[in-house]
Amino acid sequence: MSLYPFQERVKALLHQGRSVVLQAPTGSGKTRAALAPFIEAFFDFPPEAFPRQCLYTVPMRVLASQFEYEYRRLAESYQRRFDRCLEVRIQTGDRPEDPELLGDLVFATLDQVLSSALGVPYSLPESKANVNVGAVLNAYLVFDEFHLFPPQAQQTTLQLLRLFGQLSPFVLMTATFSGTMLREIAHLLGAEPVLVPAEEVAWIETGGGQHPRKRRRLVWREKVLEAEDVLRAHDRRSVAVCNTVERALALYQALVERGCRPVPVDHPVLTPLYEQVRAALSPDRHRRLLEEAVKTLREQMADASETTPWVMLLHSRFERPHRQVKEAFLRAECGPQTGEARWQVPSLIVVATQVVEVGVDITSGALHTELAPAASIVQRAGRCARYPGEEGEVFVYAVPSRSDGAPDHAPYLSKEEIALCERTRAALEERSGEVLDFAAEQALVDNAHREADEALLKAMREDEGRLWDLIGEGLIRGEASVRPELIRRVDERTVIVYDAPEGPTEESPFRYEGFSLWHGTLRGAVRDLLAQAEALDLPWALRYPVARGGEEEDDSRTPVLYHWLDVQGPEDISHSLLFAVHPALVAYDAAQGFRLGVPGDGRYRSPLTSRRRDEKKLYAYNLESYVQHAAALRRAFEERFRNRLAWVAARTGMGDLLERAVRLALALHDVGKLQEQWQRWAAKYQQEVTGEAPPFLVAHTTSQTPEHREIARHIRPSRPSHAGEGAFASARILWEALDGRDHQPLYRATVTAIARHHSPFLKEASPYRLHPQAQETVAEALAAVGDGSWRAWASWLMTKSTAPNLEKRLLWPPLEKQEWEGWLLYFVIVRALRVCDGKGIEEE
């Protein structure tokens, strides 16, 4: 299928080295516009012409899951066509399958990408804080549905792109930029604005003239959304979007009471499939299980009447397998009918929250939604009459009133959001009855959002100094406290259904899959929960954990004990981000999800997560010489990173010099292990474990079992630190090999990468003396990662120092934006070094 003209324009601009700010209507192919340039370059271009990795950032997990599902299938066809693999991965909070962002095409949520870009990754421990920044710098970046990013994440993304855009081409896109936002962002970022012309929109909406133009009519309803409204307008497919889980649940229950049949997602035949979906580690197996679950679900619905509609509820408070099966069913029964993909359920109503607002490729004949900001209304409307030739109606309803009579705009509760909703309401009233085409959508967004967008851009300009200070705190110092300021504030609490014990316990509550509730929702439920617990004679209603013990830095064997404290009142919700609720005070099933304060049978408990956050990956090491280890890292680099590095080398104008810096880091990063004391320890340990000392200088000793690790802890004298010492000892080699006089940022970046290949913030080195054979060993390692001519550089090795001043040779904190060059190079080099170091260990 050929590209649309606007997609060709985006591709041409990116391949010319320009970045793009794109606005295109829902359903017009924004995702393809963003990914076609990458996929073509991946298979057809030399590696220096375009990045060999793409990070595709979305605001919601459901989008990442859908895109990963679609493009994994496409990647299979690419492999058959090109005989080469495009590795598609996903990284979200509930599917943390690529924590180091290694895939060729990675779909990830904004929290994962921005935290990685800021050097405070959610997906990795603090000891690996410097690993993922280089992934963002080395990649082609896509930021989709930008209007749904929290305001602080919008500002952070724009500032980071001003810095990272020096290396990383990008596309920033949404269907709902205001004209002000589109022009201002493009100017700020030095990017090319692309707006799809009206005539091209018409051509797309008619399928290239093959069908009548799709039409959706906008209707404002001065009333709250009720079940009768949905049933009155229903034909084959209807979608109703509520702003809160509680209102979606109430609407779903009202539709069931009026005769709609619940989609049988809680049928016992599906139970084993849900458990298999939860346990599936292979993405391909996960996809096949979802397809099997959809097939099974359809079989349970096959004999029903064609006149009575089915109804399904979808929101954020379902267990992961239940939510994923529902999403797969929704794609199958409301998605495009092409080839063998045909709807099989005669009549279906979907009640949902914002989880279907963007990215979900579905359509309906009637779309019902509560009042929300105009950009959200337009996105929701994109789930109605989505495909060429379709017609539909979009009904927008007033929100209910609170107890004080004011409109309940939850979750849009800030002063700015409420004002935005009211401007949207006025614009909708004015346009009620009109056909909502792309031009009308743009007018609606401009009228409602122009003022808010101008305020956002003004605030970002006025606050630029503070933003850069916070970005520096993350990138340079690894301060995780910047996350709420730069990504999103944590306004939610996690609730698990759990038998919280009376006394201390070693069991971590973070092992359990929980449900996210807005803190105000949980706070508002406290008094009712306490009253219910008293009426049922329960010992407690809500509890929160306090961790004690395990504070000794050098004693990992000291257990952490969790003490559970009772919630006494609403104010206690501020004391923790995680709470346990008594099992008797909740209800859960696959049809309706988690309901707080609805007494159930008391049998439900939160399941264990598929991947425990408190587990550490322990490598098994084989005995390996220093030179063998360097050679293993060279193989890992050439297999995984060399092609990816080529783009940055070309973009910076450094060419082969940047690759030389990485190879030198691979050869020299463990020079500190060549200390006499380190090698004495290694020989003594190896003698005790295997009965013989190694005949060479060691990089890794045999360490396969817990018993081996216990022996290592008791060998005396213990191993000295090595990363800072190795960086200092190698500094003169790097100065000479990289022509440090003319390339000082690259020189300092490489020294810093070696120093920080274990600890991201290390600044010091201890006195050291290298082994007499160290210089010859380093010469062999240099030859192993480069060529024979590199051996001569070993003569510059500093074999001893009584007072090594490492900090003098490291990168200095940048004071101005133009001083970031060395840091950007450092993050690229240290990523290649640390990932290859890990891959080299796995290879052993």
Side-chain angles (χ1 to χ4, degrees):
M1 179 180 175
S2 60
L3 298 176
Y4 296 138
F6 88 89
Q7 294 169 333
E8 290 283 4
R9 176 164 168 71
V10 169
K11 184 178 75 169
L13 286 166
L14 286 163
H15 287 170
Q16 292 165 15
R18 300 293 306 275
S19 292
V20 172
V21 179
L22 170 65
Q23 181 174 22
T26 56
S28 63
K30 293 191 306 298
T31 304
R32 191 170 184 224
L35 288 180
F38 169 72
I39 292 170
E40 180 177 321
F42 185 86
F43 288 107
D44 294 341
F45 288 14
E48 66 273 11
F50 201 77
R52 281 297 177 92
Q53 184 180 28
C54 173
L55 300 182
Y56 196 111
T57 308
V58 293
M60 301 168 71
R61 290 177 295 191
V62 64
L63 274 75
S65 294
Q66 174 170 307
F67 291 152
E68 184 261 352
Y69 179 85
E70 293 174 358
Y71 276 85
R72 187 175 288 279
R73 299 184 74 175
L74 286 172
E76 293 174 357
S77 67
Y78 297 150
Q79 186 167 5
R80 290 191 294 271
R81 178 181 171 188
F82 296 102
D83 194 28
R84 187 164 145 225
C85 177
L86 173 69
E87 189 176 13
V88 179
R89 295 192 183 184
I90 187 170
Q91 177 62 30
T92 66
D94 67 338
R95 293 183 63 190
E97 297 172 15
D98 195 12
E100 292 186 346
L101 304 178
L102 293 173
D104 299 318
L105 172 56
V106 183
F107 294 101
T109 47
L110 70 91
D111 305 76
Q112 298 289 328
V113 173
L114 288 185
S115 66
S116 288
L118 291 165
V120 286
Y122 284 113
S123 60
L124 295 173
E126 183 180 350
S127 61
K128 290 188 174 183
N130 57 358
V131 171
N132 280 1
V133 183
V136 184
L137 286 166
N138 233 351
Y140 163 54
L141 306 175
V142 179
F143 293 90
D144 198 359
E145 307 298 357
F146 183 69
H147 76 285
L148 285 181
F149 287 27
Q152 61 268 46
Q154 290 181 338
Q155 294 188 34
T156 300
T157 300
L158 295 177
Q159 294 290 13
L160 283 175
L161 288 179
R162 294 176 70 186
L163 177 64
F164 287 16
Q166 300 172 36
L167 300 181
S168 307
F170 62 84
V171 169
L172 193 74
M173 62 185 187
T174 182
T176 50
F177 279 129
S178 68
T180 298
M181 184 72 96
L182 181 71
R183 291 187 297 273
E184 289 291 326
I185 287 178
H187 177 73
L188 177 73
L189 301 179
E192 188 75 22
V194 174
L195 178 64
V196 185
E199 59 273 16
E200 187 175 345
V201 172
W203 190 79
I204 292 170
E205 291 183 347
T206 61
Q210 300 298 311
H211 305 278
R213 188 171 185 177
K214 63 182 182 183
R215 290 168 57 89
R216 57 175 80 100
R217 189 171 68 95
L218 175 67
V219 180
W220 167 255
R221 304 293 299 275
E222 189 62 52
K223 65 182 297 295
V224 297
L225 174 58
E226 297 176 305
E228 288 77 6
D229 301 308
V230 178
L231 292 171
R232 192 179 303 117
H234 179 66
D235 188 8
R236 290 191 67 194
R237 295 290 184 272
S238 294
V239 176
V241 183
C242 299
N243 292 340
T244 69
V245 173
E246 290 72 23
R247 296 207 290 262
L249 181 61
L251 179 59
Y252 170 83
Q253 292 170 342
L255 287 166
V256 173
E257 290 172 2
R258 284 156 181 77
C260 295
R261 294 164 300 176
V263 173
V265 289
D266 52 359
H267 196 286
V269 73
L270 287 165
T271 301
L273 279 173
Y274 287 137
E275 293 309 311
Q276 291 177 61
V277 168
R278 186 191 308 281
L281 297 178
S282 161
D284 291 331
R285 175 167 170 75
H286 183 266
R287 188 190 72 209
R288 290 194 298 270
L289 286 168
L290 290 180
E291 292 171 349
E292 184 178 348
V294 170
K295 178 183 177 183
T296 303
L297 191 53
R298 282 169 158 172
E299 289 171 353
Q300 306 311 309
M301 304 165 69
D303 298 330
S305 162
E306 294 193 6
T307 57
T308 304
W310 295 91
V311 60
M312 186 178 76
L313 178 64
L314 182 59
H315 54 67
S316 60
R317 297 180 198 164
F318 286 98
E319 288 184 13
R320 179 173 58 85
H322 298 154
R323 186 179 70 249
Q324 290 175 346
V325 168
K326 288 187 173 206
E327 291 168 358
F329 177 77
L330 186 60
R331 290 192 296 266
E333 284 297 336
C334 294
Q337 300 189 75
T338 57
E340 298 180 359
R342 298 292 171 183
W343 298 350
Q344 296 181 22
V345 176
S347 181
L348 178 64
I349 298 171
V350 178
V351 179
T353 57
Q354 294 91 329
V355 295
V356 299
E357 186 170 302
V358 292
V360 182
D361 190 10
I362 60 171
T363 191
S364 62
L367 187 288
H368 306 264
T369 174
E370 294 180 328
L371 177 64
S376 293
I377 294 293
V378 169
Q379 289 287 350
R380 296 175 191 185
R383 313 313 126 188
C384 175
R386 185 173 180 85
Y387 309 126
E390 293 186 337
E391 295 188 4
E393 291 185 298
V394 176
F395 301 93
V396 186
Y397 298 80
V399 294
S401 298
R402 302 186 318 219
S403 57
D404 61 2
D408 184 2
H409 285 294
Y412 311 107
L413 294 175
S414 71
K415 179 181 177 181
E416 295 77 14
E417 288 172 325
I418 291 173
L420 180 55
C421 287
E422 291 302 321
R423 289 196 298 271
T424 301
R425 176 188 179 122
L428 290 169
E429 289 176 338
E430 183 180 334
R431 289 171 172 77
S432 184
E434 295 181 3
V435 172
L436 194 64
D437 60 13
F438 186 46
E441 291 174 352
Q442 289 311 112
L444 177 64
V445 170
D446 276 345
N447 287 346
H449 285 265
R450 183 187 303 113
E451 183 178 323
D453 289 348
E454 289 173 348
L456 173 73
L457 293 167
K458 180 182 178 183
M460 188 182 74
R461 286 191 290 267
E462 293 176 348
D463 209 22
E464 183 173 357
R466 188 183 72 90
L467 283 173
W468 277 110
D469 287 345
L470 290 170
I471 289 170
E473 287 293 309
L475 282 170
I476 308 305
R477 298 180 180 85
E479 290 289 345
S481 60
V482 305
R483 291 171 181 161
E485 296 292 324
L486 295 178
I487 303 174
R488 73 167 92 223
R489 292 180 177 85
V490 182
D491 293 329
E492 295 186 334
R493 301 293 185 266
T494 298
V495 176
I496 61 174
V497 185
Y498 175 69
D499 297 299
E502 295 294 335
T505 177
E506 292 184 25
E507 183 176 51
S508 169
F510 299 104
R511 299 173 60 203
Y512 291 89
E513 184 178 320
F515 304 101
S516 292
L517 275 70
W518 179 55
H519 72 92
T521 299
L522 186 57
R523 202 181 304 272
V526 167
R527 297 192 194 282
D528 286 342
L529 291 170
L530 292 173
Q532 288 183 43
E534 184 177 359
L536 295 171
D537 197 26
L538 300 176
W540 58 278
L542 273 175
R543 285 179 168 169
Y544 62 94
V546 175
R548 296 172 185 159
E551 290 93 354
E552 296 297 327
E553 182 178 344
D554 296 326
D555 191 358
S556 60
R557 293 164 289 175
T558 303
V560 174
L561 297 179
Y562 294 91
H563 298 252
W564 288 90
L565 306 183
D566 289 352
V567 171
Q568 304 288 345
E571 63 280 358
D572 288 346
I573 300 305
S574 300
H575 296 339
S576 178
L577 295 178
L578 183 140
F579 292 83
V581 62
H582 195 287
L585 300 178
V586 301
Y588 182 88
D589 57 64
Q592 299 182 75
F594 174 74
R595 283 100 72 206
L596 182 67
V598 178
D601 57 17
R603 292 187 298 176
Y604 179 77
R605 303 293 188 278
S606 290
L608 289 168
T609 56
S610 57
R611 186 174 300 191
R612 302 177 184 178
R613 73 168 67 183
D614 51 351
E615 286 183 342
K616 293 183 179 179
K617 182 176 181 180
L618 295 176
Y619 286 112
Y621 294 90
N622 293 317
L623 178 64
E624 183 183 41
S625 75
Y626 189 94
V627 176
Q628 288 171 334
H629 183 54
L633 266 64
R634 171 181 178 160
R635 290 191 293 272
F637 169 72
E638 292 177 349
E639 290 171 5
R640 170 66 71 173
F641 273 100
R642 189 180 190 187
N643 282 344
R644 291 186 181 180
L645 189 71
W647 162 257
V648 179
R651 187 83 159 185
T652 58
M654 290 189 170
D656 294 341
L657 194 61
L658 181 58
E659 181 174 331
R660 177 185 292 182
V662 172
R663 288 180 180 270
L664 287 167
L666 301 181
L668 301 172
H669 74 285
D670 274 345
V671 159
K673 291 182 178 180
L674 300 180
Q675 294 176 71
E676 289 182 333
Q677 183 180 338
W678 204 100
Q679 291 298 319
R680 282 197 299 271
W681 176 93
K684 189 173 181 181
Y685 166 83
Q686 200 67 30
Q687 181 76 42
E688 188 161 339
V689 169
T690 66
E692 57 182 339
F696 43 70
L697 296 190
V698 171
H700 292 130
T701 54
T702 302
S703 183
Q704 300 284 346
T705 67
E707 290 76 16
H708 289 166
R709 297 183 181 97
E710 191 65 23
I711 293 170
R713 277 194 286 269
H714 291 90
I715 296 291
R716 292 293 182 271
S718 60
R719 284 173 290 186
S721 57
H722 73 276
E725 294 73 18
F728 184 88
S730 304
R732 184 65 187 274
I733 294 177
L734 297 172
W735 178 266
E736 298 295 335
L738 298 175
D739 192 6
R741 296 172 187 81
D742 293 333
H743 299 97
Q744 190 159 147
L746 180 62
Y747 158 72
R748 289 186 178 275
T750 312
V751 173
T752 307
I754 292 174
R756 297 179 177 177
H757 78 275
H758 285 304
S759 300
F761 314 110
L762 185 140
K763 296 180 179 179
E764 298 175 347
S766 300
Y768 69 89
R769 178 186 294 273
L770 298 186
H771 192 280
Q773 297 176 19
Q775 185 170 315
E776 178 57 30
T777 299
V778 168
E780 292 180 26
L782 288 168
V785 299
D787 59 48
S789 66
W790 288 25
R791 294 178 62 93
W793 290 330
S795 63
W796 297 108
L797 185 68
M798 290 183 276
T799 58
K800 63 181 179 179
S801 176
T802 57
N805 186 351
L806 175 64
E807 191 167 6
K808 179 181 177 181
R809 292 159 174 79
L810 299 178
L811 287 166
W812 299 328
L815 300 177
E816 303 290 341
K817 274 188 292 186
Q818 60 266 30
E819 295 178 7
W820 278 93
E821 178 190 358
W823 284 96
L824 300 186
L825 294 171
Y826 156 71
F827 285 120
V828 170
I829 295 167
V830 79
R831 173 173 174 78
L833 171 57
R834 296 199 68 176
V835 174
C836 289
D837 199 14
K839 295 296 179 185
I841 292 170
E842 291 176 2
E843 180 185 307
E844 295 168 26

